[in-house]
């Protein structure tokens, strides 16, 4: 997994503002027969693998670690606030 520098800067600010321990990457159910991946801020759980990616603390659900290998998290500041995008997810046939 990669986190762009712009996403890192936005995540650092969010982690500080929300007093969260890390970015959490979690299993968000199935869509079109494939696992979906979600992102939130929070505390790591027992079933998470802990990583530091571009200096961002990241907790990844062990069930989906293999799906995050080629992911890139991009971020940008918008009028509504920071927006993030996961790139590199497998395409789904729906």
């Amino acid at each position: 997994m990669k986190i762009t520098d712009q996403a890192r800067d936005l995540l650092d600010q969010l982690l500080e503002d929300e007093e969260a321990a890390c970015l959490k990457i979690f299993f968000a159910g199935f869509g079109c027969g494939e696992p979906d991946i979600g992102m939130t801020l929070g505390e790591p759980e027992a079933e998470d693998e802990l990583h530091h990616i571009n200096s961002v603390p990241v907790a990844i659900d062990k069930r989906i670690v293999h799906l995050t290998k080629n992911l890139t998290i991009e971020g940008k500041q918008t009028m509504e606030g920071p927006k993030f995008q996961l790139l590199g997810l497998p395409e789904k046939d729906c």
Side-chain angles (χ1 to χ4, degrees):
M1 175 186 294
K2 295 178 186 173
I3 298 175
T4 66
D5 290 344
Q6 188 172 9
R8 177 203 57 215
D9 295 344
L10 292 169
L11 285 166
D12 284 344
Q13 187 62 52
L14 283 173
L15 288 167
E16 183 178 323
D17 291 349
E18 299 294 325
E19 297 179 2
C22 64
L23 173 66
K24 292 181 53 73
I25 307 296
F26 62 92
F27 172 70
F30 286 96
C32 302
E34 297 291 329
D36 284 331
I37 295 175
M39 290 192 312
T40 191
L41 301 177
E43 301 295 321
E45 298 182 18
E47 63 273 2
D48 294 337
E49 274 189 19
L50 300 176
H51 299 269
H52 275 80
I53 303 169
N54 198 5
S55 78
V56 176
V58 181
I60 306 172
D61 185 321
K62 289 179 183 177
R63 297 174 292 176
I64 60 165
V65 167
H66 65 286
L67 298 174
T68 64
K69 183 178 180 179
N70 296 318
L71 287 184
T72 298
I73 299 173
E74 288 189 348
K76 65 180 178 178
Q77 186 66 27
T78 69
M79 296 282 286
E80 294 85 30
K83 300 289 181 193
F84 297 94
Q85 185 176 14
L86 283 173
L87 303 175
L89 291 171
E91 292 195 27
K92 296 180 180 184
D93 295 326
C94 295

